[in-house]
Structures are given as structure tokens and as C-alpha cells.
Amino acid sequence: MKKVDFFTPIVLVLLVYDVEAKVFTKCGLTKELLNNGFERSYVGNWVCMIESESAKNTSKVTERADRSKSLGLFQINDKVWCKWGAAGGKCQVKCETFLDEDIKDDSKCAKKVQKDLGFRAWEGWMRSCYRRTLPFPNC
Ligand SMILES: *[C@@H]1O[C@H](CO)[C@@H](O)[C@H](O)[C@H]1NC(C)=O
């Protein structure tokens, strides 16, 4: 029994964080954003922000200083926007859905974050994209 207790958490972590991970190419991401209804004129900003925040990795998890986590492609914070294990937060969604390779829920929530707070909500956008000319990616 001791053996099982020791290994089970490791297996669970691998299941949560490793399965269905996907890293987009720049053009793959551009296409995916258009498919999810992002406005063409802002796609340059979204791609820049995503490159800076998650390196286009759909399963990226960043632990913040306040012990909250930023999740997935758009690095949406679990303290405010979602809830673990059940739909909740301002986006009324399970946090787990931000870590799979389907970006439908992520996109919907990211648009809400952007509408409520602007691109300034993302440190990576402030750092790498603010005050830059960001044309539609050349794909
Ligand atoms: C994507 O992120 C996950 C979780 O942080 C990590 O395990 C994986 O190695 C990353 N993939 C790449 C290609 O960087």
C-alpha cells in the first residue's frame, strides 16, 4: 500500500499537466485565433501576448507569488476567472479546461479578460507588446 500512496500523486500530476499538451507554431496559432472568432485587427496583439506569456504552449502553468496559478495559452489566472473541479469564477468555467489543447473555453474567457481589463491585464503584453506595431502575422 505504501508504494501505491507514493506513486499515485506523480501519476495524477502527469495526467493533469502532460496529456494533450500542444505547442502552436505562429501560423498555426494565428489560424486557430481566427477560427475562434478573434478580430483580425487584434490578432497581432494576441499572438505577441501569447508568445510572451505561454510560448504558445496550451498546458503552461505558472505559479504566482500569491500562490495563484496562471493557466494555459492565455495564462488566465485561477484566482478570479475559473474554478478547479467545477464551473465557476468570472468565466463560469472549470480551470482544467484551460490546460487542454482545445482553446475554445480559453478564447472565450480571454476575450472577457480583455474586455474587462484590456491587454494591460497581461504582464507579458506590457513587457513585449505595448507600444509596438503588431501587424497581422505574415503566414
Ligand atoms: C508545455 O508546458 C508543459 C507544462 O508546463 C511542459 O511540461 C511542457 O514541457 C511544455 N512543452 C514545451 C514544448 O515546452
Side-chain angles (χ1 to χ4, degrees):
M1 276 322 269
K2 279 246 145 48
K3 247 182 196 164
V4 173
D5 287 345
F6 181 74
F7 284 108
T8 303
I10 294 170
V11 171
L12 285 178
V13 167
L14 288 177
L15 282 175
V16 171
Y17 291 138
D18 256 19
V19 170
E20 299 183 293
K22 178 168 180 175
V23 179
F24 284 104
T25 61
K26 189 166 188 167
C27 289
L29 177 62
T30 299
K31 209 173 131 195
E32 193 71 12
L33 292 175
L34 291 177
N35 286 342
N36 279 279
F38 285 87
E39 251 179 81
R40 199 180 165 86
S41 54
Y42 288 110
V43 165
N45 269 284
W46 286 108
V47 168
C48 179
M49 185 278 280
I50 289 165
E51 283 180 327
S52 176
E53 287 278 345
S54 67
K56 307 187 287 294
N57 184 341
T58 61
S59 58
K60 172 93 183 270
V61 178
T62 310
E63 185 134 1
R64 299 285 167 196
D66 66 358
R67 310 213 63 202
S68 67
K69 288 188 177 71
S70 296
L71 305 172
L73 196 67
F74 297 91
Q75 289 289 284
I76 298 172
N77 196 271
D78 69 351
K79 203 166 73 178
V80 177
W81 302 99
C82 63
K83 194 177 167 205
W84 292 100
K90 283 193 183 175
C91 287
Q92 282 301 308
V93 69
K94 268 192 195 182
C95 293
E96 286 87 342
T97 66
F98 293 151
L99 297 175
D100 61 21
E101 62 177 64
D102 179 353
I103 70 157
K104 195 156 169 263
D105 295 289
D106 313 52
S107 297
K108 217 173 136 193
C109 190
K111 284 179 203 168
K112 184 172 170 55
V113 175
Q114 201 269 336
K115 200 173 158 220
D116 288 6
L117 304 173
F119 281 112
R120 284 161 191 271
W122 285 279
E123 278 168 36
W125 184 85
M126 291 298 287
R127 194 168 51 238
S128 311
C129 317
Y130 182 48
R131 288 190 171 149
R132 276 182 54 201
T133 306
L134 298 162
F136 190 82
N138 190 13
C139 289

